Amino acid sequence: IYTLEDKTLIEKDIRDLDKILDFDYSDDGKKMVFSGVVGGQSDLYLLDLNSQSRKQLTDDIFDDVDPVFIDNSSRILFASNRSSDTIYKKPEINFVDHKNDIFIYDLKHMDHTYKFLEQITQTPDDNETKPFSIEKNTYIFLSDKNGITNRFISEKDSVISHIDTTIHYRMSIVNSPQTNYV
């Protein structure tokens, strides 16, 4: 931790991890989310920088990488090779080469038994990485959809699903390329 006022550097160990792959700081600078590896398994962790207390957010066999805080640090956008939007400790899986999709973890649900994620992309044959939020409900990420890594944008919006005595809405997510380099 580097203190701007007195220009000092404080080094603090983060124990019981093999390595940290990527991290991001909360808007107020008091928390850090990171993708940490323990025994070959990468999961998301939330670290309180003042108390050095750490909370493991995901704990399953899937790889969770590239976490970033979004929406005033109330949610975390990340990439994962998981096949479901639910976090299970021991999921039933068939070992299929599933590539990364983009997900959102809502921190208000972090103490619930079952944790549900919001899935932004659902492309089992394409690999999406390095997500970032550019405004509410608009995300950018890298994808190898055409065989070359390009930038894509994902926009979430509500559309009318049906009308009976009231209007019912459903969420629609549109992913489109921003670049198409060869």
Side-chain angles (χ1 to χ4, degrees):
I1 300 172
Y2 183 76
T3 308
L4 293 173
E5 292 80 29
D6 57 8
K7 298 181 178 162
T8 59
L9 184 64
I10 302 168
E11 191 173 317
K12 294 184 178 182
D13 289 333
I14 300 178
R15 299 187 185 278
D16 304 322
L17 291 173
D18 297 334
K19 63 181 161 181
I20 293 178
L21 301 174
D22 204 356
F23 66 93
D24 188 41
Y25 289 99
S26 62
D27 292 343
D28 62 7
K30 294 180 180 179
K31 295 192 185 311
M32 182 173 83
V33 63
F34 62 88
S35 175
V37 177
V38 175
Q41 177 179 316
S42 65
D43 289 305
L44 298 182
Y45 295 85
L46 186 64
L47 178 69
D48 184 300
L49 294 169
N50 292 329
S51 67
Q52 289 294 297
S53 63
R54 179 175 67 203
K55 172 97 174 152
Q56 187 170 359
L57 301 177
T58 60
D59 185 10
D60 55 24
I61 63 170
F62 299 108
D63 294 325
D64 302 321
V65 296
D66 304 330
V68 290
F69 282 105
I70 61 171
D71 300 336
N72 298 317
S73 301
S74 65
R75 303 184 330 145
I76 297 167
L77 185 67
F78 67 101
S80 178
N81 65 343
R82 59 185 62 250
S83 55
S84 169
D85 63 356
T86 306
I87 299 172
Y88 298 105
K89 176 70 176 163
K90 294 183 179 177
E92 289 184 27
I93 63 162
N94 295 324
F95 285 96
V96 177
D97 182 22
H98 192 274
K99 307 217 171 150
N100 285 347
D101 282 314
I102 306 300
F103 293 88
I104 295 176
Y105 183 102
D106 196 328
L107 290 171
K108 70 181 173 193
H109 301 300
M110 76 177 167
D111 293 324
H112 294 177
T113 304
Y114 293 102
K115 296 176 180 137
F116 298 99
L117 304 170
E118 183 177 344
Q119 190 164 0
I120 302 300
T121 63
Q122 193 166 7
T123 54
D125 297 327
D126 305 333
N127 193 44
E128 288 103 12
T129 59
K130 302 293 182 190
F132 192 78
S133 177
I134 54 175
E135 61 185 43
K136 185 153 182 72
N137 295 327
T138 305
Y139 314 103
I140 58 174
F141 54 90
L142 299 179
S143 175
D144 66 355
K145 183 178 182 85
N146 68 352
I148 305 291
T149 300
N150 279 285
R151 183 183 322 221
F152 278 67
I153 189 165
S154 177
E155 297 176 283
K156 187 169 72 167
D157 198 3
S158 59
V159 294
I160 296 174
S161 72
H162 64 281
I163 301 172
D164 48 26
T165 55
T166 61
I167 299 174
H168 299 269
Y169 294 91
R170 68 175 171 79
M171 294 307 292
S172 168
I173 298 174
V174 178
N175 298 314
S176 54
Q178 283 191 305
T179 61
N180 191 20
Y181 298 123
V182 294

